[in-house]
mmCIF file of all heavy atoms in Angstrom:
data_model
loop_
_atom_site.group_PDB
_atom_site.id
_atom_site.type_symbol
_atom_site.label_atom_id
_atom_site.label_comp_id
_atom_site.label_asym_id
_atom_site.label_seq_id
_atom_site.Cartn_x
_atom_site.Cartn_y
_atom_site.Cartn_z
ATOM 1 N N THR A 7 3.469 5.853 -5.653
ATOM 2 C CA THR A 7 3.307 5.930 -7.105
ATOM 3 C C THR A 7 2.216 6.917 -7.490
ATOM 4 O O THR A 7 2.406 7.767 -8.373
ATOM 5 C CB THR A 7 2.967 4.541 -7.677
ATOM 6 O OG1 THR A 7 4.051 3.643 -7.403
ATOM 7 C CG2 THR A 7 2.738 4.604 -9.177
ATOM 8 N N LEU A 10 3.255 10.645 -6.879
ATOM 9 C CA LEU A 10 4.291 11.110 -7.806
ATOM 10 C C LEU A 10 3.784 11.172 -9.243
ATOM 11 O O LEU A 10 4.143 12.083 -9.987
ATOM 12 C CB LEU A 10 5.525 10.204 -7.707
ATOM 13 C CG LEU A 10 6.312 10.314 -6.396
ATOM 14 C CD1 LEU A 10 7.481 9.338 -6.382
ATOM 15 C CD2 LEU A 10 6.828 11.737 -6.197
ATOM 16 N N ALA A 12 0.723 11.805 -10.100
ATOM 17 C CA ALA A 12 -0.129 12.997 -10.154
ATOM 18 C C ALA A 12 0.719 14.249 -10.347
ATOM 19 O O ALA A 12 0.396 15.126 -11.156
ATOM 20 C CB ALA A 12 -0.968 13.106 -8.879
ATOM 21 N N ALA A 17 4.089 18.736 -13.686
ATOM 22 C CA ALA A 17 5.454 19.027 -14.124
ATOM 23 C C ALA A 17 5.572 18.996 -15.646
ATOM 24 O O ALA A 17 6.284 19.815 -16.242
ATOM 25 C CB ALA A 17 6.430 18.030 -13.496
ATOM 26 N N ILE A 18 4.876 18.062 -16.288
ATOM 27 C CA ILE A 18 4.891 17.987 -17.757
ATOM 28 C C ILE A 18 4.292 19.248 -18.352
ATOM 29 O O ILE A 18 4.796 19.791 -19.342
ATOM 30 C CB ILE A 18 4.112 16.742 -18.239
ATOM 31 C CG1 ILE A 18 4.895 15.467 -17.906
ATOM 32 C CG2 ILE A 18 3.840 16.809 -19.738
ATOM 33 C CD1 ILE A 18 4.098 14.196 -18.120
ATOM 34 N N LEU A 36 16.233 9.635 -19.901
ATOM 35 C CA LEU A 36 17.678 9.621 -19.663
ATOM 36 C C LEU A 36 17.988 9.819 -18.188
ATOM 37 O O LEU A 36 18.809 9.088 -17.601
ATOM 38 C CB LEU A 36 18.358 10.704 -20.494
ATOM 39 C CG LEU A 36 18.551 10.415 -21.985
ATOM 40 C CD1 LEU A 36 19.039 11.661 -22.713
ATOM 41 C CD2 LEU A 36 19.543 9.263 -22.182
ATOM 42 N N SER A 39 16.904 6.690 -16.348
ATOM 43 C CA SER A 39 17.766 5.539 -16.632
ATOM 44 C C SER A 39 19.067 5.604 -15.840
ATOM 45 O O SER A 39 19.527 4.588 -15.293
ATOM 46 C CB SER A 39 18.072 5.471 -18.128
ATOM 47 O OG SER A 39 16.912 5.191 -18.876
ATOM 48 N N LEU A 68 5.869 0.482 -25.155
ATOM 49 C CA LEU A 68 4.525 1.023 -25.016
ATOM 50 C C LEU A 68 4.426 2.087 -23.932
ATOM 51 O O LEU A 68 3.895 3.182 -24.159
ATOM 52 C CB LEU A 68 3.538 -0.111 -24.706
ATOM 53 C CG LEU A 68 3.239 -1.090 -25.831
ATOM 54 C CD1 LEU A 68 2.402 -2.258 -25.311
ATOM 55 C CD2 LEU A 68 2.509 -0.392 -26.968
ATOM 56 N N ALA A 72 6.068 5.163 -26.057
ATOM 57 C CA ALA A 72 4.899 5.748 -26.721
ATOM 58 C C ALA A 72 4.014 6.519 -25.753
ATOM 59 O O ALA A 72 3.521 7.611 -26.069
ATOM 60 C CB ALA A 72 4.095 4.637 -27.405
ATOM 61 N N MET A 74 4.734 8.149 -22.952
ATOM 62 C CA MET A 74 5.282 9.426 -22.509
ATOM 63 C C MET A 74 5.241 10.471 -23.624
ATOM 64 O O MET A 74 4.934 11.639 -23.373
ATOM 65 C CB MET A 74 6.704 9.245 -21.980
ATOM 66 C CG MET A 74 6.754 8.488 -20.675
ATOM 67 S SD MET A 74 8.380 8.571 -19.898
ATOM 68 C CE MET A 74 8.083 7.549 -18.441
ATOM 69 N N TRP A 79 2.646 15.352 -25.590
ATOM 70 C CA TRP A 79 2.019 16.056 -26.713
ATOM 71 C C TRP A 79 0.588 16.456 -26.348
ATOM 72 O O TRP A 79 0.144 17.574 -26.609
ATOM 73 C CB TRP A 79 2.042 15.155 -27.944
ATOM 74 C CG TRP A 79 1.703 15.841 -29.231
ATOM 75 C CD1 TRP A 79 1.366 17.163 -29.418
ATOM 76 C CD2 TRP A 79 1.652 15.228 -30.525
ATOM 77 N NE1 TRP A 79 1.110 17.409 -30.743
ATOM 78 C CE2 TRP A 79 1.281 16.241 -31.446
ATOM 79 C CE3 TRP A 79 1.897 13.936 -30.990
ATOM 80 C CZ2 TRP A 79 1.131 15.978 -32.810
ATOM 81 C CZ3 TRP A 79 1.754 13.676 -32.339
ATOM 82 C CH2 TRP A 79 1.384 14.696 -33.231
ATOM 83 N N GLY A 80 -0.126 15.522 -25.722
ATOM 84 C CA GLY A 80 -1.505 15.813 -25.335
ATOM 85 C C GLY A 80 -1.600 16.964 -24.351
ATOM 86 O O GLY A 80 -2.512 17.798 -24.436
ATOM 87 N N PRO A 97 -7.111 2.342 -16.365
ATOM 88 C CA PRO A 97 -7.391 1.226 -15.460
ATOM 89 C C PRO A 97 -8.472 0.281 -15.950
ATOM 90 O O PRO A 97 -8.401 -0.927 -15.714
ATOM 91 C CB PRO A 97 -7.814 1.945 -14.165
ATOM 92 C CG PRO A 97 -7.086 3.238 -14.209
ATOM 93 C CD PRO A 97 -7.076 3.626 -15.657
ATOM 94 N N GLY A 104 -6.170 -7.539 -18.729
ATOM 95 C CA GLY A 104 -5.744 -8.508 -17.721
ATOM 96 C C GLY A 104 -6.651 -9.726 -17.693
ATOM 97 O O GLY A 104 -6.192 -10.858 -17.497
ATOM 98 N N GLY A 138 -13.094 26.899 -27.369
ATOM 99 C CA GLY A 138 -12.305 27.725 -28.276
ATOM 100 C C GLY A 138 -11.011 27.087 -28.699
ATOM 101 O O GLY A 138 -10.240 27.654 -29.451
ATOM 102 N N LYS A 165 3.418 -7.259 -16.209
ATOM 103 C CA LYS A 165 3.039 -8.229 -15.175
ATOM 104 C C LYS A 165 3.730 -9.588 -15.345
ATOM 105 O O LYS A 165 4.307 -10.107 -14.388
ATOM 106 C CB LYS A 165 1.516 -8.381 -15.155
ATOM 107 C CG LYS A 165 0.990 -9.403 -14.173
ATOM 108 C CD LYS A 165 1.225 -9.006 -12.729
ATOM 109 C CE LYS A 165 0.565 -9.989 -11.774
ATOM 110 N NZ LYS A 165 0.855 -9.682 -10.358
ATOM 111 N N CYS A 188 13.351 6.526 -27.973
ATOM 112 C CA CYS A 188 13.210 7.985 -28.098
ATOM 113 C C CYS A 188 14.492 8.682 -28.555
ATOM 114 O O CYS A 188 14.514 9.921 -28.664
ATOM 115 C CB CYS A 188 12.765 8.573 -26.758
ATOM 116 S SG CYS A 188 11.073 8.145 -26.288
ATOM 117 N N GLN A 198 17.027 22.275 -27.401
ATOM 118 C CA GLN A 198 16.106 22.924 -26.474
ATOM 119 C C GLN A 198 16.685 23.056 -25.074
ATOM 120 O O GLN A 198 16.318 23.984 -24.342
ATOM 121 C CB GLN A 198 14.775 22.164 -26.459
ATOM 122 C CG GLN A 198 14.043 22.275 -27.791
ATOM 123 C CD GLN A 198 12.765 21.462 -27.852
ATOM 124 O OE1 GLN A 198 12.519 20.580 -27.024
ATOM 125 N NE2 GLN A 198 11.935 21.738 -28.853
ATOM 126 N N LEU A 199 17.590 22.163 -24.700
ATOM 127 C CA LEU A 199 18.269 22.320 -23.400
ATOM 128 C C LEU A 199 19.082 23.610 -23.369
ATOM 129 O O LEU A 199 19.191 24.257 -22.322
ATOM 130 C CB LEU A 199 19.184 21.118 -23.139
ATOM 131 C CG LEU A 199 18.545 19.878 -22.534
ATOM 132 C CD1 LEU A 199 19.558 18.735 -22.489
ATOM 133 C CD2 LEU A 199 18.014 20.155 -21.125
ATOM 134 N N ARG A 231 2.846 -8.086 -6.494
ATOM 135 C CA ARG A 231 2.184 -8.668 -5.333
ATOM 136 C C ARG A 231 0.667 -8.640 -5.409
ATOM 137 O O ARG A 231 -0.013 -8.937 -4.424
ATOM 138 C CB ARG A 231 2.667 -7.951 -4.069
ATOM 139 C CG ARG A 231 4.113 -8.291 -3.748
ATOM 140 C CD ARG A 231 4.796 -7.229 -2.892
ATOM 141 N NE ARG A 231 6.150 -7.671 -2.521
ATOM 142 C CZ ARG A 231 7.190 -7.612 -3.332
ATOM 143 N NH1 ARG A 231 7.060 -7.129 -4.551
ATOM 144 N NH2 ARG A 231 8.373 -8.039 -2.934
ATOM 145 N N THR A 232 0.104 -8.244 -6.562
ATOM 146 C CA THR A 232 -1.343 -8.227 -6.714
ATOM 147 C C THR A 232 -1.675 -8.326 -8.202
ATOM 148 O O THR A 232 -0.777 -8.504 -9.030
ATOM 149 C CB THR A 232 -1.947 -6.938 -6.109
ATOM 150 O OG1 THR A 232 -3.371 -7.023 -6.160
ATOM 151 C CG2 THR A 232 -1.488 -5.696 -6.854
ATOM 152 N N GLY A 238 -4.425 -1.157 -11.140
ATOM 153 C CA GLY A 238 -5.018 -0.079 -11.921
ATOM 154 C C GLY A 238 -5.991 0.737 -11.081
ATOM 155 O O GLY A 238 -6.084 1.961 -11.224
ATOM 156 N N ALA A 239 -6.707 0.064 -10.171
ATOM 157 C CA ALA A 239 -7.678 0.757 -9.334
ATOM 158 C C ALA A 239 -7.022 1.796 -8.425
ATOM 159 O O ALA A 239 -7.655 2.775 -8.036
ATOM 160 C CB ALA A 239 -8.453 -0.255 -8.490
ATOM 161 N N PRO A 245 -6.564 11.798 -11.011
ATOM 162 C CA PRO A 245 -7.139 13.038 -11.541
ATOM 163 C C PRO A 245 -7.480 14.062 -10.471
ATOM 164 O O PRO A 245 -7.247 15.263 -10.653
ATOM 165 C CB PRO A 245 -8.399 12.556 -12.274
ATOM 166 C CG PRO A 245 -8.098 11.154 -12.646
ATOM 167 C CD PRO A 245 -7.298 10.612 -11.496
ATOM 168 N N ALA A 254 -3.052 24.677 -7.581
ATOM 169 C CA ALA A 254 -2.105 25.316 -6.668
ATOM 170 C C ALA A 254 -0.856 25.821 -7.385
ATOM 171 O O ALA A 254 -0.343 26.897 -7.066
ATOM 172 C CB ALA A 254 -1.709 24.331 -5.566
#
Side-chain angles (χ1 to χ4, degrees):
T7 298
L10 291 178
I18 289 170
L36 283 171
S39 294
L68 290 172
M74 290 192 182
W79 192 359
K165 177 67 175 176
C188 291
Q198 293 176 345
L199 276 174
R231 290 157 175 79
T232 186

